[in-house]
């Protein structure tokens, strides 16, 4: 392989969700940043054109050194002084975005919990995930982990339709893990038979974690252009990640 690309662009998002046990959304917040890392002094005079989806509800801010007018008119990121290169060796957050919403359709993956009493202190609990394929048709979720408190007097019966679920006596919880979810496997359930639980309140809070190799904000970088007159395009690479910062159902 040849030399590494001069510019690396990394879109990183953090997601915070709190839902109520009846399935309603209490709060959703997405915080994102586009980091630009320049590793080649000769290729640092760059303009990064962005292709943006509709992104309703998202608010965007550019770094103070970024040309605001160029961004407003062309959705392109360049330095206010185009004769200066991006600094070498330290990542610069060139663009930030934020979404705060109470619209349940924007939650990328919704977890629902359905407890049914089957006898004195005996419960059948169905926990389901659903990928929001209407809002995010191309989203692929990795390493879903759902941790469900299960304060029981004997190990529960567990049956997972996707992934695997295990009970830990030490943690008094069932952990359900699903390695990969996309539109073709957009929902799955785990069924628990619990004995020795007096009230379904004991099932909460449920904690959720997952990641994705894309952002909820629709943003892509088709090319990087040289800021110099007649400079053409520059070699670059780009990546995107979504991480759950916190996601609880209580």
């Amino acid at each position: 392989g040849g030399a590494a690309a001069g510019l690396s662009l990394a879109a990183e998002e953090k997601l915070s969700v709190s839902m109520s046990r009846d399935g309603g959304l209490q709060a959703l917040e997405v915080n994102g940043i586009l980091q630009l890392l320049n590793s080649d002094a000769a290729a640092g005079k760059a303009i990064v054109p962005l292709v943006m989806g509709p992104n309703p509800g998202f608010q965007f801010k550019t770094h103070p050194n970024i040309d605001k007018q160029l961004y407003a008119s062309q959705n392109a990121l360049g330095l206010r002084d185009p004769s200066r290169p991006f600094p070498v060796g330290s990542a610069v957050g060139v663009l930030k975005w934020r979404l705060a919403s109470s619209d349940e359709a924007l939650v990328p993956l919704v977890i629902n919990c359905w407890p049914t009493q089957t006898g004195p202190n005996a419960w059948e609990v169905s926990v389901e995930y659903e990928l929001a394929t209407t809002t995010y048709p191309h989203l692929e979720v990795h390493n879903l982990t759902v941790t469900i408190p299960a304060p029981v007097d004997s190990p529960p019966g567990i049956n997972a339709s996707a992934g695997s679920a295990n009970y830990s006596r030490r943690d008094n919880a069932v952990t359900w893990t699903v390695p990969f979810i996309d539109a073709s496997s957009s929902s799955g359930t785990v069924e628990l038979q619990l004995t020795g639980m007096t009230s379904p309140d004991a099932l909460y809070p449920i904690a959720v974690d997952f990641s994705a190799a894309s952002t909820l904000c629709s943003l892509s970088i088709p090319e990087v252009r040289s800021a110099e007159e007649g400079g053409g395009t520059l070699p670059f690479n780009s990546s995107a990640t979504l991480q759950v910062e916190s996601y609880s159902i209580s």
Side-chain angles (χ1 to χ4, degrees):
L7 292 178
S8 298
L9 290 142
E12 299 161 5
E13 257 181 7
K14 295 220 179 336
L15 171 70
S16 301
V17 178
S18 65
M19 298 197 75
S20 60
R21 60 189 69 177
D22 61 11
L25 173 64
Q26 289 163 331
L28 164 84
E29 191 173 314
V30 178
N31 285 290
I33 188 164
L34 180 65
Q35 303 267 19
L36 182 151
L37 176 62
N38 177 21
S39 52
D40 177 1
K45 296 176 185 175
I47 291 172
V48 181
L50 304 177
V51 176
M52 313 280 267
N55 296 326
F58 279 91
Q59 294 167 315
F60 296 88
K61 281 195 177 73
T62 52
H63 186 283
N65 291 344
I66 293 292
D67 183 336
K68 281 187 172 31
Q69 214 169 347
L70 180 70
Y71 175 73
S73 61
Q74 295 176 34
N75 268 356
L77 300 169
L79 289 172
R80 275 190 318 200
D81 178 354
S83 69
R84 283 179 51 202
F86 281 99
V88 174
S90 56
V92 181
V94 284
L95 181 71
K96 282 184 183 176
W97 58 93
R98 183 172 177 269
L99 169 71
S101 179
S102 54
D103 179 358
E104 204 180 313
L106 297 179
V107 181
L109 188 96
V110 173
I111 305 287
N112 284 302
C113 178
W114 304 80
T116 307
Q117 191 155 14
T118 54
N121 293 354
W123 298 81
E124 195 172 88
V125 179
S126 184
V127 180
E128 175 187 46
Y129 69 77
E130 236 174 315
L131 193 64
T133 51
T134 309
T135 312
Y136 310 106
H138 305 297
L139 182 65
E140 297 180 347
V141 164
H142 298 271
N143 302 325
L144 171 67
T145 305
V146 184
T147 307
I148 308 147
V152 287
D153 50 16
S154 60
I158 300 176
N159 179 19
S161 77
S164 60
N166 297 291
Y167 166 70
S168 158
R169 184 179 286 284
R170 198 193 58 189
D171 301 333
N172 258 351
V174 171
T175 302
W176 180 26
T177 53
V178 185
F180 182 77
I181 301 164
D182 66 4
S184 70
S185 58
S186 61
S187 67
T189 52
V190 64
E191 306 270 349
L192 311 176
Q193 263 77 35
L194 304 177
T195 54
M197 184 172 81
T198 50
S199 151
D201 292 349
L203 296 165
Y204 301 94
I206 294 170
V208 182
D209 190 28
F210 58 83
S211 63
S214 62
T215 54
L216 301 180
C217 175
S218 171
L219 172 154
S220 61
I221 300 162
E223 62 174 7
V224 172
R225 296 200 305 263
S226 168
E228 300 187 81
E229 201 67 41
T233 60
L234 298 173
F236 77 104
N237 59 57
S238 63
S239 65
T241 53
L242 166 69
Q243 298 285 341
V244 169
E245 191 152 53
S246 69
Y247 186 145
S248 67
I249 301 141
S250 50

